[in-house]
Amino acid sequence: MVLDTVMYGDEKQNRRKARIRFSLVLTMLILFGIFVVIPFYWMILTAFKTEAQVLTSPPILWLNPVNWQFSNFATAMDTAPFLRYMANTVLVSSISTVGTVITTVFAAFAFARLNFNGRDFLFMILISTMMIPGEIFVITNFLTVVELGWIQNQTYMNAILAMTLPFMTSIFYIFFLRQSFRQIPDELYYAAKVDGTTDLKYLFKIMVPIALPTIITITILNAMGTWNAYIWPRLVTQQQEFRLVSNGLRDAFSNIAGRILYNEQMAAALLVTFPLLVVFLLLKKYIIRGVSRSGIKG
Amino acid sequence: MLEDKSNVKAWFYLAPALFLLTIFIFYPIFNALFLVFLRDYNYLQGTWEGFTLFENFLYVFRNQNFTQALTNTMIITFVSVPISVIIALLISVWLNSVLKLRGFFQTIFFLPYVTNAIAIGMAFAFLFNQNYGLINTMLGWVGLNPVNWVGLGATWGNAMFSLLVYVVWASLAFKIMVFLSGLQNIDKQYYDAARVDSTKRYRIFRRITIPLLSPMIFYITITSFIGAFKAYTQVIGMFGVRLGPPGNDKSLITIVALVYDALDRSGVPGALSEAAATAIVLFLITLVFTLINMQVSKNRVHYSGGGK
Amino acid sequence: MEIRLENLTKVFTNKKTTNTLAVDQLDVTIPSGKLIGLLGPSGCGKSTTLYMISGLLKPTEGSIYFGDDDVTTVPPEERGIGLVFQNYALYPHMTVLQNIMFPLENLKVPKEEAMERAQKIADLVGIGELMSRKPAQLSGGQQQRVAIARALVKEPRVLLLDEPLSNLDARLRLQTREEIRRIQRETGITTIFVTHDQEEAMSISDEIILMDFGVKQQMGAPQNVYDEPANLFAAKFLGTPPINLFDGKISAKKIKLGQSVLGETKESPKDIVIGIRPEGFIVQKEGPIQADVEFVETIGRDTTLIMIDPTDETKRFRAIVDSDHKIEAGQSIALNIKPHKMYIFNQQTGERL
């Protein structure tokens, strides 16, 4: 800020005030930061404890890495096929993301760039369905998937289709991408037209590269959505090994009678959380920018 | 040329999306509106016993868990949304005021966004464990007795409190990110002008930051309300499919849970219509509160300048 | 390539069925190989005309000929035009080289040849060194040249420029307009550029077409239009500082400003507007206009006098005179008029008399 250099009154006093304010703000940030980090810490800590350590009261709050019990992960994986769940999740997430990006790019292009009868009306209808809770669709979609024969005697292919096809497009992403497309100046389109560029070529050589940040955001949001999906996969998968991570995790530790093995449970939870954290730290810049923008409504 | 309509071409581009939307969004909306008026619909046989206007809605209201579900949903919504909006606002303002360490804290505060709801729900459940959990240990540090938050026979109040902590925790990240980017979009000139007039910091916050950020606060509040009305996975994450602490099953049931409850009984005649009726009730509740929210915010949101 | 516009008309139809007549029955013949300035105030239809020539807009009526070819319904990419936009419309994610090569890609020119041609044209416009940069790394003037290079690389029959200088700062604008002049001379390509800046149009055009309200007002060499404006609009639009206008009348074959007689005419008695260019005044001991000096601005060899209009004390007019005259504010002086710097117009129609 330009005016930081301009100081009124006693300069020393002002500086002390600023330092106190900074310390206060920092304290609050650290306190809330601890609040945010605690569940992760607790998860990781527990995942490496022995059963005896878990069942110590008061709990052990720090574990020397030398004593970490890695075998919890192996045991967790014996409880349920988590690697299989992760593979399923990655597959479902890739297919639905690729599908979503393709349908979204085409539809957003039509809404942003082409002139056709009923465009505004159709767009308004799409926007107004965004208000309707997904549960209303789920009921019929479940019936549709049954009708398509993807539930009875389910094959892996059927399960994948049932989990991806309904999510291969998104009105919100169409809306989001259309906003990005519309920020590209019309003149670019005219210039390309004068040079004899076809619409399809213009879309893929000019618009898509320019709107790439938005497309990356859509990819990330969609992939994370799949990683979190619980309800739909539970409804449409008939066999244990077709499930996604969320279902696998919940089921593996819901039906055990008697004592819950917390260290194994947390090891499994960490197994599921870890890939996401790695992806986040690698793509932090894109995720933060993309998510903030998606929240700013266009 | 420019003004020419490209009807055929446009529909070609729209076809893939529209095809999917028609099957998985538009048709389901109409079908739900159809199902809800069928008496004893049996989808396995495709038969029903005539039409009814209110019967399916009466099933919803007569469901023994409906009052509990409605209460829980309302509490989750009206407690977690205001608290998380306020905390997120404060954190983002603080974040915006520090230059050093901002990136580090930003990463920390954003972590909850990229996690799996079930996994973290489980971690929270164990945090609130009566004997081995961190929360009771911390209470012990300040001389308080351990509380049975989520264990066998835990009261509804204790379980609800634990759930709310989790829900607030999980919903902070997105709000902080949006508010922070909104704050960074506010023109620094406003602050310089205010400081030249030697405005107190608190007043700068009240009179400049909040009004300029108000469109974003409004948008986030509305979408958070809509999201909170649909609370379900968080309950599953923390308490599993029994939707409550052991021995107090279904005490934390929500309206969305009722939809899936009915859907799980899909073979029973009328269950699908009940599911549709429940979802429509949820939609109407959401709609009413969104409209109220918009009405209330009308005079308090400043749309010019600031975070676009 | 001679370009002929015949009866060219464009009506924009709004959704609420309000029609706007943007270009009204334009008849123009643009000689081959010349640099033509399409000049007028904003909203006069000049850009619409340019876009119709480019093929991006379809005329409501009338025809466009390139030489003997009627191109009215030919799509833009088949017209062989190069178009430069006001904001340059460079593709932000492509390098300069990729931008310039892009039109050739559509023409299926082999890559080697395309690169050669791109380099040649880049050298011509003076950006040969910048080929690997992205548009964001270029100055406004450099971006402008890339845009011109991209328009020229496919060797168009016609080069169209839409307000090519308006996004540049004053110094660059001077430099770039000379550059456009030079490139046009070297390529010999028929070039039409749209501008609202009369000085810009006058300085580099072989001919200007002056438009207002969608109607052609006058066409000709810049100095001719300046010296012989066809109507009040043309007289007002050209010249800085602008022409001075007075309400006068013709009576008994005399041009009268108030009681003073400024000249003679064959016209019948009527109300007129008298236009006198600021440089059309001469300070003399005696003259038809006697007026008070309000301000004196001396810049170099010229002195500008802000004078109080003797017929209406609320109005001011401007005279540029030799700085040898020692004139001070508050003085009352006599002014004579150079006859060829004075024009009279019909007060109703604005027609030159």
Side-chain angles (χ1 to χ4, degrees), chain A residues 91-102:
Chain A
L91 184 66
V92 167
S93 148
S94 319
I95 294 175
S96 84
T97 302
V98 169
T100 303
V101 167
I102 292 173

Side-chain angles (χ1 to χ4, degrees), chain B residues 182-208:
Chain B
L183 286 171
Q184 284 166 351
N185 279 342
I186 294 178
D187 197 330
K188 294 278 176 286
Q189 284 181 10
Y190 295 120
Y191 291 106
D192 289 345
R195 292 186 65 188
V196 168
D197 301 336
S198 62
T199 316
K200 291 260 181 294
R201 281 194 176 244
Y202 169 72
R203 280 179 57 79
I204 292 181
F205 181 72
R206 275 280 312 275
R207 302 299 301 276
I208 297 174

Side-chain angles (χ1 to χ4, degrees), chain A:
Chain A
M1 227 177 278
V2 188
L3 292 177
D4 273 346
T5 48
V6 186
M7 286 196 176
Y8 301 95
D10 187 351
E11 204 168 307
K12 249 188 198 162
Q13 201 186 328
N14 279 338
R15 225 181 276 156
R16 195 185 317 131
K17 260 195 199 161
R19 213 176 303 138
I20 292 173
R21 191 158 39 227
F22 179 73
S23 316
L24 276 176
V25 165
L26 205 61
T27 312
M28 294 311 285
L29 285 176
I30 290 172
L31 282 178
F32 276 103
I34 290 173
F35 171 63
V36 165
V37 167
I38 276 181
F40 293 107
Y41 180 70
W42 196 239
M43 183 195 280
I44 297 167
L45 182 72
T46 313
F48 287 104
K49 282 180 176 175
T50 63
E51 203 187 338
Q53 284 168 331
V54 171
L55 301 181
T56 306
S57 184
I60 299 163
L61 297 181
W62 171 251
L63 209 54
N64 191 329
V66 182
N67 301 325
W68 285 0
Q69 176 162 297
F70 284 93
S71 64
N72 291 341
F73 294 95
T75 339
M77 282 198 257
D78 283 342
T79 319
F82 281 106
L83 288 182
R84 178 68 195 265
Y85 294 153
M86 280 196 225
N88 291 345
T89 311
V90 169
L91 184 66
V92 167
S93 148
S94 319
I95 294 175
S96 84
T97 302
V98 169
T100 303
V101 167
I102 292 173
T103 58
T104 309
V105 163
F106 281 124
F109 174 73
F111 281 120
R113 191 65 272 171
L114 298 177
N115 211 352
F116 58 96
N117 289 327
R119 180 183 63 185
D120 298 343
F121 179 69
L122 182 64
F123 194 67
M124 212 185 69
I125 289 189
L126 292 194
I127 294 294
S128 53
T129 58
M130 289 208 305
M131 284 252 323
I132 297 171
E135 282 65 35
I136 288 187
F137 319 138
V138 166
I139 301 160
T140 304
N141 288 346
F142 177 67
L143 300 184
T144 306
V145 171
V146 172
E147 206 65 30
L148 288 166
W150 292 346
I151 302 292
Q152 291 289 309
N153 305 319
Q154 193 173 45
T155 62
Y156 189 51
M157 175 81 166
N158 286 342
I160 298 292
L161 275 173
M163 284 191 278
T164 50
L165 199 67
F167 302 99
M168 286 222 198
T169 194
S170 149
I171 294 174
F172 175 69
Y173 296 151
I174 292 173
F175 174 72
F176 188 35
L177 189 56
R178 170 184 170 267
Q179 300 296 96
S180 279
F181 278 171
R182 280 168 65 104
Q183 281 167 11
I184 299 171
D186 289 347
E187 282 80 5
L188 257 55
Y189 184 61
Y190 304 157
K193 281 277 114 171
V194 167
D195 294 336
T197 315
T198 61
D199 278 352
L200 201 64
K201 186 177 176 195
Y202 178 72
L203 171 59
F204 283 105
K205 291 220 100 172
I206 313 290
M207 287 183 107
V208 166
I210 293 176
L212 200 59
T214 306
I215 294 172
I216 292 175
T217 302
I218 290 174
T219 307
I220 293 168
L221 290 180
N222 198 68
M224 287 200 306
T226 314
W227 201 265
N228 252 320
Y230 174 81
I231 297 170
W232 182 252
R234 191 180 75 92
L235 275 176
V236 300
T237 47
Q238 290 299 299
Q239 296 182 43
Q240 274 271 317
E241 68 263 33
F242 296 167
R243 307 213 144 167
L244 304 190
V245 283
S246 298
N247 317 104
L249 191 61
R250 190 66 272 179
D251 293 355
F253 297 98
S254 272
N255 305 319
I256 298 169
R259 236 179 31 220
I260 303 172
L261 299 169
Y262 287 109
N263 52 344
E264 282 174 30
Q265 193 191 32
M266 287 301 108
L270 183 56
L271 222 49
V272 165
T273 312
F274 190 68
L276 269 187
L277 290 182
V278 171
V279 169
F280 170 61
L281 292 175
L282 287 178
L283 300 174
K284 199 180 110 192
K285 196 181 75 183
Y286 287 107
I287 297 178
I288 290 182
R289 190 176 57 190
V291 170
S292 327
R293 282 212 327 225
S294 76
I296 311 175
K297 217 173 158 188

Side-chain angles (χ1 to χ4, degrees), chain B residues 241-256:
Chain B
V241 283
R242 63 161 74 92
L243 301 174
N248 208 349
D249 286 22
K250 300 213 169 175
S251 60
L252 292 179
I253 197 169
T254 62
I255 296 181
V256 169

